[in-house]
Amino acid sequence: MITVPTTFRPPPSPLQPPGLPLAPCRSFSNNKIQVELDESSGVAMMKFKSPPVNSLSLEFLTEFSISLEKLENNRACRGVILTSAVPKIFSSGLDITEMCGKSMEHYTEFWRAVQEMWLRLYGSNMVTVAAVNGSSPAGGCLMALSCDYRIMAENPKFSIGLNEAQLGIVAPFWFKDTFVNVVGHRVAERSLQLGSLHPAPEAHKLGLVDELVPEEKLMEKAAAVMAQWLALPDHARQLTKTMMRKAVLDRLVAHREEDIKNFISFVSKESIQKSLRMYMEMLKKRKS
Amino acid sequence: MITVPTTFRPPPSPLQPPGLPLAPCRSFSNNKIQVELDESSGVAMMKFKSPPVNSLSLEFLTEFSISLEKLENNRACRGVILTSAVPKIFSSGLDITEMCGKSMEHYTEFWRAVQEMWLRLYGSNMVTVAAVNGSSPAGGCLMALSCDYRIMAENPKFSIGLNEAQLGIVAPFWFKDTFVNVVGHRVAERSLQLGSLHPAPEAHKLGLVDELVPEEKLMEKAAAVMAQWLALPDHARQLTKTMMRKAVLDRLVAHREEDIKNFISFVSKESIQKSLRMYMEMLKKRKS
Amino acid sequence: MITVPTTFRPPPSPLQPPGLPLAPCRSFSNNKIQVELDESSGVAMMKFKSPPVNSLSLEFLTEFSISLEKLENNRACRGVILTSAVPKIFSSGLDITEMCGKSMEHYTEFWRAVQEMWLRLYGSNMVTVAAVNGSSPAGGCLMALSCDYRIMAENPKFSIGLNEAQLGIVAPFWFKDTFVNVVGHRVAERSLQLGSLHPAPEAHKLGLVDELVPEEKLMEKAAAVMAQWLALPDHARQLTKTMMRKAVLDRLVAHREEDIKNFISFVSKESIQKSLRMYMEMLKKRKS
C-alpha cells in the first residue's frame, strides 16, 4: 500500500549540485537587454536597459525574442527572471513611434514582433518570473502577465495594467485572454474598459501580481521563488504549463495573419494616427 | 522614445463641457419605467416604478427594451443608471402570472421579451450602472449582473441572487453564463444549486456586487462611478466591452428559438404549473 | 402582481418528515468502503476504510463506483457524504503499485476505473459533500474537488492538492478542468506546476475547500450542510448541476479512449517506471 507523504520533495536536480563552487556566469549583452546566465543555478536574468522607459520598439522586441530563444535552446538554462535596469519603470509598453506615420510593411513587421514576443514568453518551457521594479503599463503589463509568477516592488507609485482604452485603442484579444487567465472575467472586464493602471497594492489585491516585497528585496525574492519552481522536475512542469496555456496560445497562432490585418487597418485610420500624434505631442511637452 | 505616464487622462469629452450651465433634461415616462436623460452629462436614469415589486411582466420588459433602444440611438446619451422608485425592492424578477395558465403564443412572446431585455442590456454600447436600492432576486439579479458595474445599498435586509432553484425551476444557460462571468465557476455553481439570495454584505464579498454604500448615498455614488467610466473615450471602451461579452451574447443569439422551445416545454408541464400556482397562493396568503 | 420574498423556503421534502422516528439504516460494507444509508434523511455516508492510506487501487475504485451507482439508483438516497475511517488521511490518491510493472491490459483497466470514478462522482445527481478529515493529495484531492461542497478539518498538518508534478507526472486534463472550475485559472496554473500540497488554512483561502471546522465537529457540520442542500427540490438542483458540469464531463467522454492511450504510453516509459520504483523504494525506507 502506497502513501504520498505531504512533505515529499524530489531530489535536487543535477543542475543544482549542492556545495559545488559557483560556475562562471555566461553573459551576453546587446543593445537593449542585458542577459546573464548563472550556469550553477540554471537561472538567467534578462535586464531591460533601454532608457528612458524600456519601450517595446521593433529593435527591443526582436532582441528579446532572440535572447529568449537562445536561452530556451541552452540546456544549462531552466529559468529566466525578467526585470528592468531603468529606475522606476519596468517597461512602458509598445513604442508608439513604431505605429505613427510608418509604412504598411513596417506595421506588419512590428506587429509580428509583438506577437512573437508573446508567443515565445507565454509558451516558454522555462520557468519565467517577472521582478516588476517599476511601472508597467500596456505591453509592459502583458510581459509580466505572460510569466509564471509576478513579484512587484511594494511602492504605491508604481502601477501596472492594460490601459490601452485610455489611449483610445483596444487591447488585442490575446492580451485580453492572458489577462482573464490571471485575474478572471469580472476584474478583466472592468479594468480593460477603464484602462486602469493599478497601484502595486491594488494590483496585488486583484491578483494581477502574486506578491509584493520591499524594493530592495525584490531580486532576492525572485531568486528564492525561482529556486522553489526549479525544485520540480522540468518535464512534468513543462507539460503542465503547456496544458494550462495551449488553448490561448493556439488561438493567436490560428488567427495570426488576421490579427496583423486588424492591427494595420486600425493603426492606419486617420483618426487613430491623429490621436497618437496628439498623445506624443503631449508627452514631449511634459518632458520639457 | 515614448512613455505612457501613469496619470494620463483623456481630455473631457465634448459631451461634458466643464462650466457650462446644465442642459435641460429630457424625460419620458411610460407606465412602468421613468426615464430621464441629462444631456449635459450624457447620463440617463431609468427608474422602475411598477409597484408593488417591479416584477418583469411582458409590459415592463417591452417598455424597458424600447426605452433602452431609444437611449442607445440617442447620440446625446452615453450612460444609463438603473434603479428603482419602489421602496425596498429593485426588481422581483420575472412575473409569474405571465407563466401561469397562458397560451403557447403568450409564453413565446413573454420569453422572447425576456431574451430581448438581456440581449439589449448585456450588449449595450452605453455604460450601464445598477444602483441596487432593494432586493433583487432572479430576473432582477440578472438585470444587475448585465450592467457594467453594480452598487448596492448597504442594507443586510436587501438580498440579491439567482434563486430559481428554490422555486423548482432552472435558470436558463445565459443567466448562468452571465453569472459565471461575474462571480466565477465555483461560486456560481453553489449559489445556483442552492438558489441562494445573498444579503448585501455577502453579495459584496462574493463579487456579485462591486460596491456597497449607505442607502442615502447610492445615487450620488452611481453618478460618480458613471463619470469615471465616461471619462474614457467611447469607441475603445465599447469595442473592449464587445470583446469581453460577445461569446456569451452570441451563444443565446445562436440558440434563441431552441431556448424559447425549452422554456415553453418546461412551463407547460402540469407539475410546474401546479408548483407555480401553489407559490402564488402562498404569496397571496402572506400579503393578507 | 407577484413578489418573490427573500425568505421563501420550499416545504420540507416528504423524505424528511419532521418529528418522525428515525428509519432504520441500511448499510452495506464491502472490503474497502463502508456505506450507510439513513433512509429517514436520505443521506448516505461512504467511509473509506482501506488502511494504511486509502489509496485508490483498482479494487477500491471499482467498489466506489459500484457503491455510488447503487445509491444513485436508490430513490431513498438523495445525498452522499464522503469521508475516511482511517486517521489522518482522507485518501492518498492513485495506488502507484497499479502503475508499476503491470501489463497493458492492467493499465487500461486501471485507468478506465479512475475515469469511471470521476465520471460518476462529478456527474452525480445526488448532493455530494466531502468531509475531508485528513490529508488528500492527487487522486484524493480530485475526489474532494468532484463533490458539491468541501469541508475540511481545521488542522494545518492536513494538506490537500494535485501534487502530481512533484512525482514527475502530469495531472490529466480532466483533473485540471475540475480544479480550474473550483479555484480559477491562475491558482490552478501555479498549484499544478508546483505540485502544491496546501495545508488546510491555505486550501481554504484559495477556495480549494469551502469551509474549515474543528475536527470533532466535521461530521456534524457535513450533516448540516447536506440538510441545507437537500432543502432544495431535487429536480431543479440536478438540472442546474448538470448545466454547470456538462461541458467538462463531455470532454472526457469524447476523449476517453485517447486519454487511456495517453496514460498507457506515459506509464510504459522506462523513465517513468524507474522514477515510480524509486519513489516506492523511498516510501518503504521511510516506513521502516
Side-chain angles (χ1 to χ4, degrees):
Chain A
M1 209 49 56
I2 296 306
T3 175
V4 179
T6 62
T7 56
F8 171 71
R9 299 199 62 77
S13 128
L15 292 168
Q16 300 172 288
L20 277 194
L22 286 179
C25 289
R26 281 199 197 168
S27 79
F28 49 96
S29 181
N30 299 303
N31 276 327
K32 304 196 168 292
I33 302 167
Q34 188 186 322
V35 182
E36 281 180 29
L37 169 61
D38 176 357
E39 293 200 349
S40 71
S41 66
V43 179
M45 179 83 73
M46 289 180 82
K47 270 195 185 162
F48 308 155
K49 55 173 187 72
S50 180
V53 292
N54 291 329
S55 61
L56 305 177
S57 62
L58 178 56
E59 196 187 339
F60 185 107
L61 290 164
T62 307
E63 204 179 304
F64 180 86
S65 290
I66 291 173
S67 300
L68 201 66
E69 191 185 11
K70 272 193 207 169
L71 296 171
E72 201 85 53
N73 293 332
N74 183 342
R75 295 193 57 182
C77 183
R78 300 172 64 219
V80 183
I81 296 171
L82 303 188
T83 196
S84 166
V86 175
K88 296 182 190 167
I89 191 96
F90 180 72
S91 161
S92 66
L94 304 185
D95 187 341
I96 294 178
T97 59
E98 304 279 14
M99 308 190 217
C100 230
K102 298 286 198 298
S103 69
M104 297 294 148
E105 288 70 32
H106 185 84
Y107 295 150
T108 302
E109 194 186 5
F110 176 62
W111 199 247
R112 201 179 293 280
V114 179
Q115 294 175 333
E116 193 68 24
M117 171 273 284
W118 178 76
L119 289 170
R120 286 191 182 280
L121 183 57
Y122 199 62
S124 174
N125 266 326
M126 299 180 285
V127 175
T128 51
V129 172
V132 184
N133 54 350
S135 283
S136 197
C141 176
L142 180 73
M143 293 185 93
L145 288 170
S146 303
C147 289
D148 292 316
Y149 199 81
R150 286 155 291 286
I151 311 165
M152 191 165 178
E154 199 172 33
N155 185 338
K157 287 186 187 163
F158 297 162
S159 64
I160 185 166
L162 294 175
N163 62 324
E164 281 79 354
Q166 289 225 0
L167 282 73
I169 60 181
V170 181
F173 72 87
W174 38 287
F175 282 51
K176 180 265 291 179
D177 288 343
T178 312
F179 198 33
V180 169
N181 272 355
V182 173
V183 297
H185 193 278
R186 181 185 71 245
V187 170
E189 192 182 285
R190 194 202 320 164
S191 186
L192 283 174
Q193 282 198 68
L194 290 172
S196 303
L197 286 168
H198 305 285
E202 189 178 291
H204 181 233
K205 212 177 145 191
L206 296 175
L208 207 164
V209 297
D210 296 294
E211 209 170 336
L212 296 185
V213 293
E215 203 165 348
E216 67 276 15
K217 304 220 167 160
L218 191 59
M219 297 320 298
E220 185 189 324
K221 183 72 197 183
V225 165
M226 180 60 83
Q228 185 199 3
W229 284 66
L230 292 183
L232 277 286
D234 280 338
H235 190 60
R237 190 193 46 69
Q238 288 162 356
L239 290 175
T240 304
K241 184 171 176 174
T242 301
M243 176 171 67
M244 295 303 297
R245 300 192 166 187
K246 193 171 184 307
V248 161
L249 285 162
D250 283 353
R251 217 175 142 206
L252 177 58
V253 171
H255 297 96
R256 198 163 175 181
E257 298 310 314
E258 192 185 327
D259 183 58
I260 292 173
K261 272 184 203 153
N262 281 346
F263 172 72
I264 293 178
S265 110
F266 180 79
V267 87
S268 309
K269 280 184 189 148
E270 189 40 44
S271 60
I272 298 298
Q273 284 293 315
K274 192 176 158 191
S275 129
L276 293 175
R277 278 194 305 269
M278 279 171 58
Y279 184 63
M280 294 203 298
E281 211 57 44
M282 187 196 76
L283 294 176
K284 274 184 203 162
K285 273 183 199 157
R286 242 178 225 231
K287 274 204 244 174
S288 59
Chain B
M1 208 50 55
I2 297 305
T3 175
V4 178
T6 62
T7 56
F8 171 70
R9 301 198 62 76
S13 129
L15 291 169
Q16 300 172 289
L20 277 194
L22 285 179
C25 289
R26 281 199 200 169
S27 78
F28 49 97
S29 180
N30 299 302
N31 277 327
K32 304 196 169 293
I33 303 168
Q34 186 184 326
V35 182
E36 281 179 29
L37 169 60
D38 175 358
E39 293 200 349
S40 70
S41 66
V43 179
M45 179 82 74
M46 289 180 83
K47 270 193 184 161
F48 307 155
K49 54 176 189 68
S50 182
V53 292
N54 291 329
S55 63
L56 305 177
S57 61
L58 178 56
E59 196 187 340
F60 185 108
L61 291 164
T62 307
E63 204 180 303
F64 180 85
S65 290
I66 291 174
S67 300
L68 201 68
E69 191 185 13
K70 271 193 206 168
L71 296 172
E72 200 86 52
N73 292 333
N74 183 344
R75 297 193 57 183
C77 183
R78 300 173 64 219
V80 183
I81 297 171
L82 303 187
T83 195
S84 166
V86 175
K88 296 182 190 165
I89 191 95
F90 180 72
S91 161
S92 65
L94 304 185
D95 187 340
I96 295 178
T97 58
E98 305 279 13
M99 308 189 218
C100 232
K102 297 284 198 300
S103 69
M104 297 294 149
E105 289 69 32
H106 185 84
Y107 295 150
T108 303
E109 194 186 6
F110 176 63
W111 198 248
R112 200 180 292 280
V114 179
Q115 294 175 333
E116 193 68 24
M117 172 272 284
W118 179 75
L119 289 170
R120 286 191 182 279
L121 183 57
Y122 199 61
S124 173
N125 266 326
M126 299 180 286
V127 175
T128 51
V129 172
V132 184
N133 55 349
S135 283
S136 198
C141 176
L142 180 74
M143 292 186 94
L145 288 170
S146 303
C147 290
D148 292 315
Y149 199 82
R150 284 154 293 286
I151 311 165
M152 191 164 177
E154 200 172 32
N155 185 338
K157 289 186 187 164
F158 297 161
S159 65
I160 185 168
L162 295 175
N163 63 322
E164 282 80 354
Q166 289 227 358
L167 283 73
I169 60 181
V170 182
F173 71 87
W174 39 286
F175 281 51
K176 180 266 287 179
D177 288 343
T178 311
F179 198 34
V180 169
N181 272 355
V182 172
V183 298
H185 193 279
R186 181 185 70 245
V187 171
E189 192 182 285
R190 192 201 324 164
S191 186
L192 283 174
Q193 282 198 69
L194 290 173
S196 304
L197 286 169
H198 306 285
E202 188 178 293
H204 181 233
K205 213 177 147 193
L206 295 175
L208 206 164
V209 297
D210 297 294
E211 209 169 336
L212 295 184
V213 294
E215 202 166 346
E216 67 275 15
K217 304 221 168 161
L218 189 60
M219 296 320 298
E220 186 189 324
K221 184 69 195 185
V225 165
M226 180 60 82
Q228 185 199 3
W229 283 67
L230 291 182
L232 277 284
D234 280 337
H235 190 61
R237 190 193 45 71
Q238 288 162 357
L239 291 175
T240 304
K241 184 171 176 174
T242 300
M243 177 170 67
M244 296 302 298
R245 299 190 166 187
K246 193 172 185 308
V248 161
L249 285 163
D250 283 353
R251 217 175 142 206
L252 177 58
V253 171
H255 298 95
R256 198 163 174 180
E257 298 310 314
E258 192 185 328
D259 183 58
I260 292 173
K261 272 183 203 152
N262 281 346
F263 171 72
I264 293 178
S265 108
F266 180 78
V267 86
S268 309
K269 279 183 191 150
E270 189 39 45
S271 60
I272 297 298
Q273 284 293 317
K274 190 176 160 190
S275 131
L276 292 175
R277 277 194 306 267
M278 278 171 60
Y279 184 64
M280 293 204 299
E281 210 57 45
M282 186 197 77
L283 294 175
K284 274 184 204 162
K285 274 183 198 157
R286 242 180 225 230
K287 273 203 248 174
S288 58
Chain C
M1 205 53 53
I2 298 302
T3 177
V4 179
T6 62
T7 55
F8 172 70
R9 299 198 64 76
S13 128
L15 291 168
Q16 300 171 290
L20 278 194
L22 285 180
C25 289
R26 280 199 200 169
S27 79
F28 50 98
S29 182
N30 299 302
N31 276 328
K32 303 195 168 292
I33 303 169
Q34 185 186 326
V35 182
E36 282 180 28
L37 170 60
D38 175 358
E39 293 201 351
S40 71
S41 65
V43 178
M45 180 83 72
M46 289 180 82
K47 270 195 186 163
F48 307 155
K49 53 174 190 68
S50 181
V53 292
N54 290 329
S55 62
L56 305 176
S57 61
L58 178 55
E59 194 189 340
F60 185 107
L61 290 165
T62 306
E63 202 179 305
F64 180 85
S65 290
I66 291 173
S67 300
L68 201 66
E69 191 185 11
K70 271 194 207 168
L71 296 172
E72 200 86 54
N73 292 333
N74 183 343
R75 295 192 59 182
C77 183
R78 301 172 63 218
V80 183
I81 296 171
L82 303 188
T83 196
S84 165
V86 175
K88 295 183 192 166
I89 191 94
F90 179 72
S91 160
S92 66
L94 304 186
D95 186 340
I96 294 178
T97 58
E98 305 278 13
M99 308 190 219
C100 232
K102 298 285 197 301
S103 68
M104 297 294 149
E105 289 68 33
H106 185 85
Y107 294 150
T108 302
E109 194 186 6
F110 176 63
W111 199 247
R112 200 180 294 278
V114 179
Q115 295 175 331
E116 193 67 25
M117 172 273 283
W118 178 76
L119 289 170
R120 286 193 180 279
L121 182 58
Y122 199 61
S124 173
N125 266 326
M126 298 180 287
V127 175
T128 50
V129 172
V132 184
N133 55 349
S135 282
S136 197
C141 176
L142 179 73
M143 292 186 93
L145 288 170
S146 303
C147 290
D148 292 315
Y149 199 81
R150 286 155 290 287
I151 311 166
M152 191 164 178
E154 200 171 33
N155 185 337
K157 288 186 187 164
F158 297 161
S159 64
I160 184 169
L162 295 175
N163 63 324
E164 281 80 353
Q166 288 225 2
L167 283 71
I169 60 180
V170 182
F173 71 89
W174 39 286
F175 282 52
K176 182 264 290 178
D177 289 343
T178 311
F179 199 33
V180 169
N181 272 355
V182 173
V183 298
H185 192 278
R186 182 186 69 247
V187 170
E189 192 181 284
R190 194 200 321 162
S191 186
L192 282 174
Q193 283 197 68
L194 290 172
S196 302
L197 285 169
H198 306 285
E202 189 179 293
H204 182 232
K205 212 177 146 191
L206 295 175
L208 207 164
V209 296
D210 296 294
E211 209 169 336
L212 296 185
V213 294
E215 203 165 345
E216 68 276 14
K217 305 221 167 161
L218 190 59
M219 296 320 296
E220 184 189 325
K221 184 71 196 184
V225 165
M226 180 59 82
Q228 185 199 3
W229 284 67
L230 291 183
L232 276 287
D234 280 338
H235 189 62
R237 189 194 46 69
Q238 288 162 356
L239 290 175
T240 304
K241 184 171 176 176
T242 301
M243 177 171 66
M244 295 303 298
R245 300 191 164 187
K246 192 172 185 305
V248 161
L249 286 163
D250 282 353
R251 218 175 142 205
L252 177 58
V253 171
H255 297 95
R256 198 162 175 182
E257 298 310 314
E258 193 184 328
D259 183 60
I260 292 173
K261 272 185 201 152
N262 280 347
F263 172 72
I264 294 179
S265 111
F266 180 79
V267 86
S268 309
K269 280 183 189 150
E270 188 40 45
S271 60
I272 297 299
Q273 284 293 315
K274 190 176 160 191
S275 131
L276 292 175
R277 278 194 305 268
M278 279 171 61
Y279 184 64
M280 294 203 300
E281 211 55 46
M282 188 195 76
L283 293 175
K284 275 183 204 163
K285 274 184 198 156
R286 240 179 227 229
K287 275 204 245 173
S288 59

